[in-house]
Amino acid sequence: MEPSQPKWICNAGKNAVSILPDGSVNVCWDRKEEHLGNIFRGGFSLRDHLVPCSLVHCACPLWAFEKNLHAEAKGETLNPPLPYQAYAHWHITYECQMLCEYCIVTGPDRASDTRDKKTRSLPVPIDDMVKVVDASGLSFYFSLMGGEPFLVPNIVEVVQRLTERHYVGANTNLCAVPRHFWKSINHDRIGNFHISLHIYPLERKNLTQDFIDSFKTMVDAGFNRYNITVVAHPKVIDRIDYYRELFGRHGIAFKLIPMLDGGGAVKGKVYPESYTSDELKLIERDWLEDYFPQKNAKNEKVDVTKFRPRSLKSTKNTMLE
Ligand code: SF4
Protein backbone atom coordinates (compact mmCIF):
# COMPACT_ATOMS: atom_id res chain seq x y z
CA MET A 1 0.00 0.00 0.00
CA GLU A 2 1.37 3.51 -1.01
CA PRO A 3 2.46 5.40 2.15
CA SER A 4 0.06 8.27 2.82
CA GLN A 5 1.40 11.47 1.40
CA PRO A 6 1.38 14.79 3.20
CA LYS A 7 -1.49 16.92 1.94
CA TRP A 8 -1.38 20.44 0.60
CA ILE A 9 -4.29 22.45 1.99
CA CYS A 10 -5.92 24.18 -0.96
CA ASN A 11 -8.69 26.75 -1.30
CA ALA A 12 -10.01 25.16 -4.51
CA GLY A 13 -13.80 25.13 -4.33
CA LYS A 14 -13.93 27.53 -1.39
CA ASN A 15 -13.04 30.88 -3.02
CA ALA A 16 -11.28 29.67 -6.17
CA VAL A 17 -12.88 27.55 -8.90
CA SER A 18 -12.41 26.19 -12.41
CA ILE A 19 -14.97 26.95 -15.12
CA LEU A 20 -15.21 25.01 -18.42
CA PRO A 21 -16.47 26.17 -21.86
CA ASP A 22 -19.95 24.78 -21.15
CA GLY A 23 -20.20 26.95 -18.03
CA SER A 24 -19.79 24.06 -15.61
CA VAL A 25 -18.06 25.14 -12.39
CA ASN A 26 -15.76 22.62 -10.69
CA VAL A 27 -13.44 22.55 -7.69
CA CYS A 28 -10.39 22.70 -9.99
CA TRP A 29 -9.03 21.38 -13.32
CA ASP A 30 -7.77 18.14 -11.76
CA ARG A 31 -11.07 17.69 -9.89
CA LYS A 32 -13.50 18.26 -12.75
CA GLU A 33 -15.80 15.58 -11.33
CA GLU A 34 -16.44 17.72 -8.23
CA HIS A 35 -19.17 19.99 -9.58
CA LEU A 36 -20.33 23.31 -8.09
CA GLY A 37 -23.12 24.16 -10.55
CA ASN A 38 -23.13 26.11 -13.84
CA ILE A 39 -22.18 29.77 -14.31
CA PHE A 40 -24.62 30.12 -17.28
CA ARG A 41 -27.56 28.04 -16.08
CA GLY A 42 -27.31 28.60 -12.30
CA GLY A 43 -27.24 26.27 -9.31
CA PHE A 44 -23.74 27.61 -8.57
CA SER A 45 -22.42 27.82 -5.02
CA LEU A 46 -19.04 27.71 -3.34
CA ARG A 47 -18.01 25.26 -0.62
CA ASP A 48 -17.31 26.29 2.97
CA HIS A 49 -14.24 24.13 3.45
CA LEU A 50 -10.63 23.76 2.29
CA VAL A 51 -9.47 20.68 0.36
CA PRO A 52 -6.50 18.47 1.26
CA CYS A 53 -4.58 17.57 -1.89
CA SER A 54 -1.87 14.92 -2.33
CA LEU A 55 -1.45 14.98 -6.09
CA VAL A 56 2.08 14.72 -7.47
CA HIS A 57 1.35 17.46 -10.03
CA CYS A 58 -1.40 20.04 -10.28
CA ALA A 59 -2.16 21.31 -13.80
CA CYS A 60 -3.69 24.61 -12.65
CA PRO A 61 -2.80 25.51 -9.03
CA LEU A 62 -5.66 27.89 -8.25
CA TRP A 63 -4.16 28.65 -4.83
CA ALA A 64 -0.97 29.93 -6.45
CA PHE A 65 -2.68 32.05 -9.10
CA GLU A 66 -4.17 34.25 -6.38
CA LYS A 67 -2.24 33.60 -3.15
CA ASN A 68 -4.10 36.27 -1.19
CA LEU A 69 -7.36 34.37 -1.56
CA HIS A 70 -5.58 31.21 -0.42
CA ALA A 71 -4.41 33.07 2.70
CA GLU A 72 -7.92 34.49 3.25
CA ALA A 73 -9.50 31.03 2.85
CA LYS A 74 -7.20 29.77 5.59
CA GLY A 75 -8.45 32.51 7.92
CA GLU A 76 -5.89 35.28 7.44
CA THR A 77 -7.19 38.86 7.33
CA LEU A 78 -5.95 40.76 4.30
CA ASN A 79 -4.97 44.36 4.74
CA PRO A 80 -5.94 46.01 2.49
CA PRO A 81 -8.73 43.61 1.50
CA LEU A 82 -8.92 42.44 -2.12
CA PRO A 83 -11.55 44.08 -4.35
CA TYR A 84 -12.94 40.59 -5.14
CA GLN A 85 -13.90 37.55 -3.07
CA ALA A 86 -13.49 34.72 -5.56
CA TYR A 87 -11.11 33.65 -8.33
CA ALA A 88 -12.37 31.77 -11.39
CA HIS A 89 -9.97 30.01 -13.76
CA TRP A 90 -12.09 29.92 -16.88
CA HIS A 91 -11.30 27.66 -19.82
CA ILE A 92 -13.65 29.77 -21.91
CA THR A 93 -12.89 27.73 -25.05
CA TYR A 94 -10.61 24.88 -26.13
CA GLU A 95 -10.25 26.34 -29.63
CA CYS A 96 -6.74 27.50 -30.56
CA GLN A 97 -5.13 28.53 -33.81
CA MET A 98 -1.57 27.63 -32.80
CA LEU A 99 -1.62 23.81 -32.35
CA CYS A 100 1.71 23.89 -30.49
CA GLU A 101 3.38 20.47 -30.48
CA TYR A 102 4.07 20.66 -26.72
CA CYS A 103 0.49 21.50 -25.73
CA ILE A 104 -2.28 19.07 -24.80
CA VAL A 105 -5.15 20.75 -22.94
CA THR A 106 -8.04 18.29 -23.19
CA GLY A 107 -6.43 15.09 -24.56
CA PRO A 108 -5.35 12.73 -23.18
CA ASP A 109 -4.35 11.88 -26.75
CA ARG A 110 -3.26 14.42 -29.31
CA ALA A 111 -6.03 13.52 -31.77
CA SER A 112 -8.90 14.44 -29.44
CA ASP A 113 -7.01 17.49 -28.24
CA THR A 114 -6.50 18.69 -31.82
CA ARG A 115 -10.18 18.05 -32.55
CA ASP A 116 -11.09 20.29 -29.59
CA LYS A 117 -8.62 22.96 -30.71
CA LYS A 118 -10.16 22.97 -34.21
CA THR A 119 -13.75 23.16 -32.92
CA ARG A 120 -15.14 26.67 -33.38
CA SER A 121 -15.91 28.48 -30.12
CA LEU A 122 -19.50 29.28 -29.16
CA PRO A 123 -20.51 32.78 -28.02
CA VAL A 124 -20.79 33.11 -24.23
CA PRO A 125 -24.43 33.58 -23.08
CA ILE A 126 -23.33 36.69 -21.21
CA ASP A 127 -26.81 37.88 -20.13
CA ASP A 128 -27.47 34.55 -18.40
CA MET A 129 -23.99 34.53 -16.91
CA VAL A 130 -24.23 38.04 -15.47
CA LYS A 131 -27.54 37.08 -13.83
CA VAL A 132 -25.98 34.01 -12.17
CA VAL A 133 -22.83 35.83 -11.08
CA ASP A 134 -24.73 38.84 -9.74
CA ALA A 135 -27.11 36.51 -7.88
CA SER A 136 -24.10 35.01 -6.08
CA GLY A 137 -23.44 38.42 -4.49
CA LEU A 138 -19.71 37.82 -5.01
CA SER A 139 -17.17 39.95 -6.84
CA PHE A 140 -14.93 37.81 -9.06
CA TYR A 141 -11.56 37.83 -10.72
CA PHE A 142 -12.07 35.88 -13.95
CA SER A 143 -8.85 34.51 -15.44
CA LEU A 144 -9.61 33.68 -19.09
CA MET A 145 -7.75 30.87 -20.77
CA GLY A 146 -8.19 28.08 -23.28
CA GLY A 147 -7.26 27.21 -25.95
CA GLU A 148 -7.10 30.84 -26.98
CA PRO A 149 -9.74 32.94 -25.17
CA PHE A 150 -9.80 35.72 -27.77
CA LEU A 151 -11.22 33.32 -30.39
CA VAL A 152 -14.57 33.45 -28.58
CA PRO A 153 -16.88 35.37 -30.97
CA ASN A 154 -18.29 37.86 -28.38
CA ILE A 155 -15.16 38.11 -26.20
CA VAL A 156 -15.01 41.92 -26.21
CA GLU A 157 -18.62 42.16 -24.98
CA VAL A 158 -17.93 39.44 -22.37
CA VAL A 159 -15.01 41.42 -20.95
CA GLN A 160 -16.95 44.71 -21.11
CA ARG A 161 -19.94 43.22 -19.24
CA LEU A 162 -17.91 41.37 -16.63
CA THR A 163 -15.70 44.36 -15.87
CA GLU A 164 -18.74 46.43 -14.91
CA ARG A 165 -18.61 44.76 -11.46
CA HIS A 166 -15.75 42.20 -11.64
CA TYR A 167 -12.10 41.85 -12.76
CA VAL A 168 -10.66 40.02 -15.74
CA GLY A 169 -7.18 38.71 -16.56
CA ALA A 170 -6.11 36.40 -19.37
CA ASN A 171 -3.68 33.81 -20.66
CA THR A 172 -3.34 34.51 -24.37
CA ASN A 173 -1.09 34.11 -27.39
CA LEU A 174 -2.11 37.66 -28.28
CA CYS A 175 -2.67 36.89 -31.99
CA ALA A 176 -6.47 36.86 -31.84
CA VAL A 177 -6.93 39.95 -29.65
CA PRO A 178 -9.12 42.34 -31.72
CA ARG A 179 -7.20 45.58 -32.33
CA HIS A 180 -10.09 47.66 -30.92
CA PHE A 181 -10.16 45.60 -27.70
CA TRP A 182 -7.80 47.83 -25.70
CA LYS A 183 -9.78 50.97 -26.51
CA SER A 184 -13.13 49.32 -25.65
CA ILE A 185 -12.48 48.14 -22.09
CA ASN A 186 -11.85 49.70 -18.66
CA HIS A 187 -8.15 49.04 -17.98
CA ASP A 188 -8.66 49.58 -14.24
CA ARG A 189 -10.64 46.35 -14.12
CA ILE A 190 -8.09 44.33 -16.11
CA GLY A 191 -5.61 42.30 -14.09
CA ASN A 192 -2.56 40.52 -15.45
CA PHE A 193 -2.15 39.28 -19.01
CA HIS A 194 0.06 36.19 -19.20
CA ILE A 195 1.22 36.30 -22.82
CA SER A 196 2.52 33.06 -24.35
CA LEU A 197 4.92 33.72 -27.20
CA HIS A 198 4.85 30.49 -29.24
CA ILE A 199 7.81 31.20 -31.53
CA TYR A 200 7.77 28.20 -33.87
CA PRO A 201 4.01 27.93 -34.27
CA LEU A 202 4.02 31.67 -35.10
CA GLU A 203 6.66 31.13 -37.77
CA ARG A 204 4.85 28.05 -39.10
CA LYS A 205 1.63 30.06 -39.44
CA ASN A 206 3.35 33.25 -40.58
CA LEU A 207 1.91 35.11 -37.58
CA THR A 208 5.09 36.58 -36.08
CA GLN A 209 4.35 40.09 -37.39
CA ASP A 210 0.77 39.73 -36.12
CA PHE A 211 2.10 39.03 -32.64
CA ILE A 212 4.43 42.04 -32.76
CA ASP A 213 1.63 44.34 -34.04
CA SER A 214 -0.79 43.08 -31.39
CA PHE A 215 1.82 43.66 -28.69
CA LYS A 216 2.39 47.20 -29.95
CA THR A 217 -1.35 47.92 -29.99
CA MET A 218 -1.58 46.77 -26.35
CA VAL A 219 1.38 48.86 -25.20
CA ASP A 220 0.33 51.93 -27.22
CA ALA A 221 -3.06 51.72 -25.48
CA GLY A 222 -1.18 52.13 -22.18
CA PHE A 223 -1.65 48.61 -20.81
CA ASN A 224 1.41 47.36 -18.92
CA ARG A 225 0.25 44.58 -16.58
CA TYR A 226 1.60 41.62 -18.54
CA ASN A 227 4.34 39.03 -18.50
CA ILE A 228 5.63 37.10 -21.50
CA THR A 229 6.89 33.52 -21.53
CA VAL A 230 8.30 31.20 -24.16
CA VAL A 231 8.17 27.42 -23.77
CA ALA A 232 11.76 26.17 -23.91
CA HIS A 233 11.51 23.88 -26.93
CA PRO A 234 15.09 22.72 -27.83
CA LYS A 235 14.78 24.28 -31.31
CA VAL A 236 14.07 27.67 -29.67
CA ILE A 237 16.96 27.27 -27.21
CA ASP A 238 19.35 26.59 -30.11
CA ARG A 239 18.56 30.07 -31.54
CA ILE A 240 17.73 31.90 -28.31
CA ASP A 241 20.09 34.87 -28.91
CA TYR A 242 18.56 35.46 -32.34
CA TYR A 243 15.01 35.45 -30.89
CA ARG A 244 15.88 37.65 -27.94
CA GLU A 245 17.29 40.17 -30.40
CA LEU A 246 14.40 39.81 -32.92
CA PHE A 247 11.66 40.41 -30.33
CA GLY A 248 13.80 42.69 -28.17
CA ARG A 249 13.89 45.19 -31.05
CA HIS A 250 10.14 45.64 -30.45
CA GLY A 251 10.36 45.89 -26.67
CA ILE A 252 9.30 42.26 -26.21
CA ALA A 253 11.26 40.59 -23.40
CA PHE A 254 10.38 37.06 -22.31
CA LYS A 255 11.18 34.32 -19.83
CA LEU A 256 12.01 30.78 -20.97
CA ILE A 257 9.89 28.27 -19.07
CA PRO A 258 10.23 24.48 -18.91
CA MET A 259 8.47 22.36 -21.51
CA LEU A 260 6.42 19.55 -19.99
CA ASP A 261 6.07 16.91 -22.66
CA GLY A 262 5.70 13.16 -22.58
CA GLY A 263 7.57 12.56 -25.83
CA GLY A 264 5.33 14.02 -28.52
CA ALA A 265 7.09 17.33 -29.17
CA VAL A 266 10.64 16.06 -29.68
CA LYS A 267 10.38 12.52 -31.04
CA GLY A 268 10.72 10.19 -28.11
CA LYS A 269 12.47 12.62 -25.78
CA VAL A 270 10.64 13.40 -22.55
CA TYR A 271 10.84 16.88 -21.05
CA PRO A 272 11.89 18.42 -18.72
CA GLU A 273 14.19 15.47 -17.80
CA SER A 274 15.96 15.64 -21.19
CA TYR A 275 17.29 19.19 -20.84
CA THR A 276 21.07 19.47 -20.79
CA SER A 277 22.75 21.39 -17.97
CA ASP A 278 23.58 24.19 -20.43
CA GLU A 279 19.96 24.41 -21.53
CA LEU A 280 18.78 24.47 -17.90
CA LYS A 281 20.93 27.57 -17.28
CA LEU A 282 18.67 29.50 -19.67
CA ILE A 283 15.37 28.28 -18.20
CA GLU A 284 13.30 29.64 -15.28
CA ARG A 285 13.59 26.45 -13.21
CA ASP A 286 11.40 27.77 -10.39
CA TRP A 287 8.57 28.60 -12.76
CA LEU A 288 6.65 25.45 -11.77
CA GLU A 289 7.45 25.53 -8.06
CA ASP A 290 3.78 25.81 -7.06
CA TYR A 291 2.52 22.99 -9.31
CA PHE A 292 3.51 20.06 -7.03
CA PRO A 293 1.10 19.64 -4.07
CA GLN A 294 3.05 16.80 -2.42
CA LYS A 295 6.27 18.81 -2.53
CA ASN A 296 4.51 22.03 -1.55
CA ALA A 297 2.97 20.24 1.44
CA LYS A 298 6.47 19.25 2.62
CA ASN A 299 7.73 22.73 1.78
CA GLU A 300 10.34 21.00 -0.35
CA LYS A 301 12.01 22.68 -3.32
CA VAL A 302 11.00 21.16 -6.66
CA ASP A 303 13.69 19.95 -9.07
CA VAL A 304 11.65 20.18 -12.24
CA THR A 305 14.04 17.90 -14.15
CA LYS A 306 12.86 15.11 -11.87
CA PHE A 307 9.29 15.49 -13.08
CA ARG A 308 8.00 13.10 -15.74
CA PRO A 309 4.65 14.26 -17.15
CA ARG A 310 2.03 11.72 -18.08
CA SER A 311 2.04 10.60 -21.68
CA LEU A 312 0.56 7.91 -23.88
CA LYS A 313 3.09 5.54 -22.36
CA SER A 314 2.28 6.34 -18.70
CA THR A 315 -1.01 7.84 -17.55
CA LYS A 316 0.55 9.04 -14.29
CA ASN A 317 2.55 12.14 -13.47
CA THR A 318 5.63 10.97 -11.57
CA MET A 319 8.62 12.36 -9.70
CA LEU A 320 11.81 10.50 -10.68
CA GLU A 321 13.31 10.33 -7.21
S1 SF4 B 1 -3.51 21.84 -5.40
FE1 SF4 B 1 -4.27 21.88 -7.50
S2 SF4 B 1 -5.16 19.84 -7.84
FE2 SF4 B 1 -4.93 20.12 -5.65
S3 SF4 B 1 -6.92 20.89 -4.99
FE3 SF4 B 1 -5.59 22.65 -5.33
S4 SF4 B 1 -5.97 23.31 -7.44
FE4 SF4 B 1 -6.80 21.22 -7.18
Side-chain angles (χ1 to χ4, degrees):
M1 195 166 82
E2 277 205 28
S4 82
Q5 290 294 339
K7 298 198 169 18
W8 175 253
I9 303 305
C10 187
N11 58 321
K14 187 172 182 187
N15 60 3
V17 293
S18 164
I19 305 176
L20 302 182
D22 64 359
S24 62
V25 184
N26 309 299
V27 166
C28 67
W29 179 260
D30 287 288
R31 295 166 181 260
K32 287 192 208 70
E33 70 292 346
E34 299 174 39
H35 302 301
L36 301 171
N38 190 290
I39 208 79
F40 303 156
R41 297 197 298 275
F44 157 67
S45 63
L46 293 173
R47 290 175 168 179
D48 59 5
H49 59 268
L50 297 161
V51 59
C53 183
S54 59
L55 287 182
V56 167
H57 178 256
C58 161
C60 302
L62 301 181
W63 69 273
F65 296 153
E66 184 27 285
K67 289 187 175 178
N68 290 310
L69 283 177
H70 184 232
E72 194 166 63
K74 295 194 299 177
E76 285 176 36
T77 305
L78 302 179
N79 188 13
L82 285 172
Y84 45 83
Q85 293 90 42
Y87 178 91
H89 200 63
W90 187 7
H91 283 81
I92 191 171
T93 181
Y94 293 137
E95 182 187 7
C96 186
Q97 77 279 48
M98 290 296 168
L99 302 178
C100 306
E101 61 268 51
Y102 40 74
C103 172
I104 290 189
V105 175
T106 51
D109 59 295
R110 183 161 299 283
S112 49
D113 182 73
T114 302
R115 183 204 58 226
D116 292 336
K117 285 190 170 102
K118 288 185 173 177
T119 303
R120 191 68 189 96
S121 310
L122 296 172
V124 168
I126 189 67
D127 292 337
D128 299 340
M129 180 178 177
V130 167
K131 278 198 204 96
V132 173
V133 172
D134 288 355
S136 75
L138 295 165
S139 177
F140 277 84
Y141 183 107
F142 291 99
S143 176
L144 309 180
M145 60 179 309
E148 170 46 47
F150 284 90
L151 289 171
V152 169
N154 61 338
I155 189 68
V156 177
E157 185 200 357
V158 169
V159 175
Q160 286 171 331
R161 297 285 303 280
L162 290 178
T163 48
E164 285 166 13
R165 294 193 52 232
H166 308 279
Y167 296 80
V168 171
N171 286 262
T172 173
N173 61 44
L174 217 50
C175 288
V177 178
R179 293 292 185 268
H180 67 280
F181 172 75
W182 297 106
K183 292 249 166 31
S184 349
I185 45 125
N186 172 2
H187 289 202
D188 297 343
R189 292 268 173 167
I190 302 294
N192 186 64
F193 262 50
H194 176 184
I195 298 167
S196 298
L197 169 51
H198 299 294
I199 292 179
Y200 269 99
L202 284 177
E203 287 181 348
R204 220 180 18 244
K205 294 173 177 296
N206 198 18
L207 287 173
T208 303
Q209 192 55 48
D210 252 45
F211 179 91
I212 293 168
D213 295 345
S214 187
F215 174 81
K216 285 204 167 129
T217 304
M218 176 186 77
V219 170
D220 292 350
F223 187 76
N224 58 15
R225 287 185 295 282
Y226 63 84
N227 63 299
I228 306 176
T229 59
V230 168
V231 172
H233 188 292
K235 285 196 293 189
V236 169
I237 297 179
D238 291 348
R239 303 179 69 206
I240 194 62
D241 296 339
Y242 165 76
Y243 288 120
R244 287 217 185 275
E245 201 280 323
L246 169 72
F247 290 104
R249 252 183 273 145
H250 304 282
I252 298 170
F254 56 80
K255 287 186 174 175
L256 263 184
I257 61 173
M259 180 169 76
L260 302 184
D261 183 74
V266 186
K267 286 293 163 273
K269 270 188 161 185
V270 178
Y271 283 84
E273 66 194 70
S274 299
Y275 284 124
T276 66
S277 53
D278 285 344
E279 288 172 334
L280 284 168
K281 288 184 192 122
L282 300 167
I283 296 170
E284 301 284 328
R285 293 184 71 167
D286 297 345
W287 183 262
L288 298 168
E289 199 66 35
D290 297 333
Y291 288 65
F292 297 89
Q294 280 183 14
K295 287 275 178 192
N296 299 143
K298 292 184 271 185
N299 208 10
E300 276 179 13
K301 193 135 184 53
V302 173
D303 177 352
V304 77
T305 64
K306 294 279 185 290
F307 174 59
R308 177 172 291 170
R310 61 174 150 239
S311 68
L312 288 178
K313 291 197 210 91
S314 71
T315 56
K316 285 180 76 179
N317 289 317
T318 47
M319 291 306 277
L320 306 171
E321 53 193 356

